Amino acid sequence: MKLCIASDYTGDEMRIAVTDYVRSLGHEATDITRTDIREEYPLIGERAGRAVAAGEYDLGILICGTGIGISLAANRVKGIRAAVVSEPYSAKMSRTHNNANIIAFGSRVVGVEMSKMIVDAFLSSSFEGGRHEERIALLEGIDRN
């Protein structure tokens, strides 16, 4: 699987650990964080959202202090369903029920080991379809309007 990973300055250490971890699982992980400047989370979330929506990456993983701000930015991009999670169950459900294509979490909320468990749950799950397809279609209708 091809993933993009990014963070603002608060998530630098966690981003590096998560990127290494995702690669150790055999996935292609590209860190799209700009390290030459202190970039703000709305710009990072938008860039990742656009890259995932364009099909450059299958999924994205975003990190900021809480995961909230960066996910709000990503969710402004049409076709993105970014979920803020702080434990594995929500990460799994974001994929199986909501077909999330980006997860976000906070470096000030979860530790590195928990972030790895979150990533495992997210990457090992897939959209169940069925009754959830109608709900995703409703979400996509909001995008169109």
Side-chain angles (χ1 to χ4, degrees), residues 96-110:
T96 59
H97 287 194
N98 307 117
N99 202 18
N101 46 16
I102 293 179
I103 55 165
F105 42 83
S107 61
R108 295 176 177 155
V109 178
V110 301

Side-chain angles (χ1 to χ4, degrees), residues 13-15 17-18 105 107 110-117:
E13 289 180 33
M14 183 172 283
R15 181 191 76 248
V18 167
F105 42 83
S107 61
V110 301
V112 171
E113 293 308 312
M114 179 59 74
S115 73
K116 292 176 184 178
M117 290 187 277

Side-chain angles (χ1 to χ4, degrees), residues 8-89:
D8 70 0
Y9 67 95
T10 65
D12 283 342
E13 289 180 33
M14 183 172 283
R15 181 191 76 248
I16 293 165
V18 167
T19 302
D20 290 344
Y21 181 67
V22 168
R23 288 176 181 155
S24 78
L25 297 174
H27 299 287
E28 182 180 332
T30 303
D31 183 345
I32 64 168
T33 304
R34 289 194 58 191
T35 56
D36 58 325
I37 60 170
R38 182 172 159 164
E39 192 173 26
E40 298 296 335
Y41 68 79
L43 301 174
I44 301 162
E46 178 189 9
R47 185 170 62 252
R50 291 196 186 286
V52 171
E56 295 173 38
Y57 302 97
D58 301 312
L59 299 170
I61 300 171
L62 299 176
I63 306 164
C64 69
T66 62
I68 298 168
I70 204 163
S71 71
L72 290 172
N75 276 320
R76 297 240 192 286
V77 176
K78 184 178 178 181
I80 293 301
R81 289 171 306 282
V84 180
V85 297
S86 57
E87 37 67 38
Y89 180 73

